[in-house]
Amino acid sequence: MTAQTRPLTPPRHILHGDRLDKDLTLSGDVAIVGTGAGGGVAAEILSQAGLKVVLIEEGGYYTAKDFHPMREAVAYPTLYQEIASRKTKDKGVTILQGRAVGGSTTVNWTTCFRTPPETLDHWSQAHGLKGSSEAEMAPWFERMEKRLNIAPWDGRNPNNDVLYRGATKLGWHAGAISRNVRHCRNLGYCGTGCPVDAKQSMLVTTVPAALDHGASLLVRVRAETLEIQGDRVTGIHGVALDATGANATGVRVRVEAPTIVAAGGGINTPALLLRSRAPDPYALVGQRTFLHVVNASAAVMPERVAPFDGAPQSSYSNEFLWRDGVTGRIGYKLEVAPLHPVLASTMHKGYGQAHAQMMAQLPHLNGMIALLRDGFNEQSQGGRVTLAKDSSPVLDYPMNDYLWEGVRHAYLSMAECQFAAGAAAVMPMHVDTPSYRSWGEAQKAIAELPLAINRALLFSAHVMGGCPMGEDPRRAAVDSLGKHHQLANLWVIDGSTFPTSIGANPSLPIYAMAARQASALAERLRGRRAGTG
């Protein structure tokens, strides 16, 4: 892959659905639904193999100049699924997913971890994956780390230093996070899109590279269904969306290609297959969808930590990630969240004067989060993607005692860490908790805290699973290279194929897995052209 980094430039390759005034049909060698971590990487590799790629993206096309305001009020409606308010069926978990060229890579916080070896071993042993051991995946991680300039970040800001300082004082594991950035200005607003193209998202790396190799990009076009005849997908039916991305214009779009790649990510890829009534003899599609359910704890620090300034995430702790082995009690990763005004206001409980007082303390607030590692225990089966009456996706993710135990343990860990770092007060993000002034007070109260949906404030930005990979068609929708078990020309290359959650931020795992799967697909298609397969 090339090392170039620049925004999309050639408009002749880009078609905007909101500007179409009549129905459109396009054709190519490969059609890819989605331009995020999976679709973007696949597009670059396949186009460089000499294949004509057509990319279909539901969101809009934006460049650095569109991100200059760094305003949440602009970013959330334009760059996120459902105006950054996508939720589980019971409204208990808020889900942040990107919706633009580049997908979530355009708005994520640039945090990059390799898939933990414990996770890869579990996938091999419990789910029958092939070719995904730590040694076998290492070259793919190295390739994508080089491609996206992924390296440890040295500039730990005060917000992240709270976690690092507290964990170190307690004798816990603490480490530095790697980020996919180049010439980063440390602005801190990664979640609203990078205004200087420092973030090495698919928007400025793999998608432009694919366009340079002849790919076409459709934006503001929602892929609604796959047209299926026998064991093959013969086309993709889509609808053009207006400039807001909220309404269909009535213009229909059809894309024909002998090879189809679904890369819409967790929730959207299973929904596409469900709408298409793709063969699913064992009712696997949509099941076992995982979130890395996140709970949070805010702390008032005596010093100014400016949680809206600097690299959003640069410190982490794996002290509790494997706290009871791989398949025992649920583990979690500790990280820090940036707190911008709108995000902070939605996270904070309370109303009126209490809320105003908390927002006035924003420069002194630390936000710590715990990412629960779901899917490794029989009591953690994840959620299920279904379709609403309008065929939009709905994720039902039930919280049970197993998960709640992890939430409580994480609240305790975060409070202990924040007090160890010198916090003056700690407030678990739960509607029934006051501010605690000491670790002893917090420890006793959190141990007795009633945990329930919409009482504990829960979030997620990591949707995985719903279309799991594995060699056994009775347990997996696609094989270890992403090929659909029942459809001869359909591949799924995104995080929906993960058999469990990762146990770490999933962007780099998706990049690496996509590089492996798309490279295998490119070799297969080249072989067919040469008459060898």
Side-chain angles (χ1 to χ4, degrees):
M1 284 183 277
T2 62
Q4 65 186 28
T5 299
R6 57 179 182 74
L8 302 176
T9 51
R12 62 189 177 86
H13 288 303
I14 305 172
L15 296 172
H16 297 259
D18 55 301
R19 302 176 190 173
L20 297 176
D21 56 8
K22 61 182 178 179
D23 292 353
L24 173 70
T25 298
L26 288 180
S27 62
D29 299 317
V30 183
I32 301 177
V33 179
T35 61
V41 170
E44 178 176 33
I45 291 172
L46 293 168
S47 63
Q48 288 182 344
L51 297 159
K52 171 62 177 176
V53 172
V54 180
L55 283 158
I56 306 167
E57 171 57 52
E58 177 181 320
Y61 161 52
Y62 304 95
T63 60
K65 68 179 186 300
D66 299 304
F67 308 142
H68 281 173
M70 297 192 300
R71 291 182 56 209
E72 295 170 274
V74 174
Y76 295 154
T78 57
L79 302 177
Y80 287 79
Q81 291 283 350
E82 300 177 29
I83 321 178
S85 62
R86 172 170 274 184
K87 295 181 184 293
T88 51
K89 185 177 182 179
D90 60 10
K91 313 302 181 187
V93 184
T94 299
I95 302 170
L96 298 175
Q97 285 183 292
R99 184 175 181 258
V101 174
S104 292
T105 74
T106 298
V107 294
N108 70 17
W109 297 339
T110 74
T111 298
C112 292
F113 292 99
R114 293 189 179 191
T115 309
E118 294 90 344
T119 300
L120 294 173
D121 289 345
H122 181 75
W123 287 357
S124 175
Q125 295 168 13
H127 296 276
L129 261 67
K130 290 184 178 179
S132 299
S133 69
E134 183 180 12
E136 289 168 313
M137 287 302 300
W140 301 106
F141 283 118
E142 292 168 3
R143 174 175 178 169
M144 295 313 300
E145 286 163 351
K146 181 178 180 180
R147 173 69 179 98
L148 302 176
N149 206 50
I150 296 171
W153 182 256
D154 296 328
R156 187 169 67 239
N157 65 4
N159 191 35
N160 279 267
D161 192 56
V162 172
L163 170 57
Y164 192 89
R165 191 168 70 244
T168 301
K169 185 174 180 179
L170 292 167
W172 296 354
H173 167 270
I177 288 175
S178 293
R179 305 178 63 219
N180 58 314
V181 295
R182 187 187 301 273
H183 307 304
C184 177
R185 309 288 179 83
N186 222 18
L187 299 174
Y189 275 73
C190 300
T192 61
C194 183
V196 293
D197 282 337
K199 183 191 300 186
Q200 299 301 279
S201 67
M202 303 304 95
L203 174 64
V204 300
T205 56
T206 60
V207 172
L211 293 176
D212 284 347
H213 285 83
S216 298
L217 172 62
L218 283 166
V219 299
R220 292 278 186 230
V221 173
R222 177 186 295 136
E224 286 199 322
T225 58
L226 305 176
E227 180 183 291
I228 299 172
Q229 296 182 12
D231 70 343
R232 300 188 66 83
V233 180
T234 55
I236 301 170
H237 292 282
V239 294
L241 303 176
D242 63 17
T244 69
N247 306 297
T249 65
V251 173
R252 307 293 303 182
V253 177
R254 175 182 166 84
V255 179
E256 302 170 343
T259 300
I260 307 296
V261 174
I267 297 182
N268 290 339
T269 286
L272 175 63
L273 297 181
L274 290 171
R275 284 195 300 269
S276 306
R277 299 185 180 180
D280 184 20
Y282 301 100
L284 299 170
V285 173
Q287 303 282 6
R288 291 184 62 81
T289 301
F290 302 104
L291 287 179
H292 280 163
V293 173
V294 171
N295 62 323
S297 180
V300 179
M301 304 303 296
E303 73 276 16
R304 178 184 170 90
V305 296
F308 40 77
D309 186 39
Q313 293 186 313
S314 55
S315 298
Y316 75 103
S317 175
N318 277 351
E319 182 70 20
F320 303 99
L321 186 59
W322 312 103
R323 66 186 178 110
D324 193 21
V326 175
T327 59
R329 291 174 300 171
I330 196 166
Y332 50 89
K333 193 181 200 78
L334 293 179
E335 295 178 350
V336 165
L339 295 179
H340 304 109
V342 174
L343 182 62
S345 69
T346 59
M347 286 180 62
H348 183 254
K349 59 197 188 300
Y351 306 91
Q353 189 62 30
H355 192 278
Q357 289 175 350
M358 179 54 59
M359 291 304 297
Q361 293 179 306
L362 182 60
H364 289 265
L365 284 185
N366 162 256
M368 200 171 292
I369 58 175
L371 286 63
L372 271 66
R373 179 179 54 82
D374 47 348
F376 293 79
N377 182 284
E378 63 181 10
Q379 297 180 67
S380 180
Q381 295 295 316
R384 179 188 178 195
V385 175
T386 60
L387 299 177
K389 291 182 179 179
D390 64 355
S391 294
S392 62
V394 177
L395 174 61
D396 185 13
Y397 189 96
M399 292 289 293
N400 59 18
D401 290 343
Y402 177 82
L403 297 170
W404 284 125
E405 187 276 333
V407 170
R408 188 184 306 279
H409 200 279
Y411 275 140
L412 288 164
S413 299
M414 289 186 284
E416 184 176 11
C417 186
Q418 288 169 321
F419 278 118
V426 169
M427 298 144 290
M429 293 293 94
H430 186 292
V431 298
D432 299 323
T433 55
S435 297
Y436 303 127
R437 299 291 174 175
S438 70
W439 164 231
E441 180 189 8
Q443 185 178 26
K444 180 178 179 180
I446 293 171
E448 300 172 354
L449 189 64
L451 297 178
I453 283 293
N454 295 317
R455 307 307 290 173
L457 304 184
L458 304 176
F459 311 87
S460 181
H462 304 160
V463 185
M464 298 151 283
C467 194
M469 57 184 166
E471 296 304 304
D472 186 351
R474 295 167 299 181
R475 301 177 59 202
V478 302
D479 69 16
S480 300
L481 289 175
K483 182 188 174 298
H484 196 277
H485 279 304
Q486 281 77 40
L487 294 171
N489 64 332
L490 174 64
W491 273 255
V492 179
I493 301 180
D494 60 22
S496 73
T497 64
F498 293 166
T500 67
S501 72
I502 290 290
N505 305 58
S507 58
L508 177 54
I510 298 173
Y511 299 145
M513 189 65 74
R516 172 177 172 263
Q517 293 172 334
S519 295
L521 176 57
E523 290 182 10
R524 178 180 180 133
L525 297 179
R526 278 197 300 249
R528 284 181 178 173
R529 279 188 166 182
T532 60

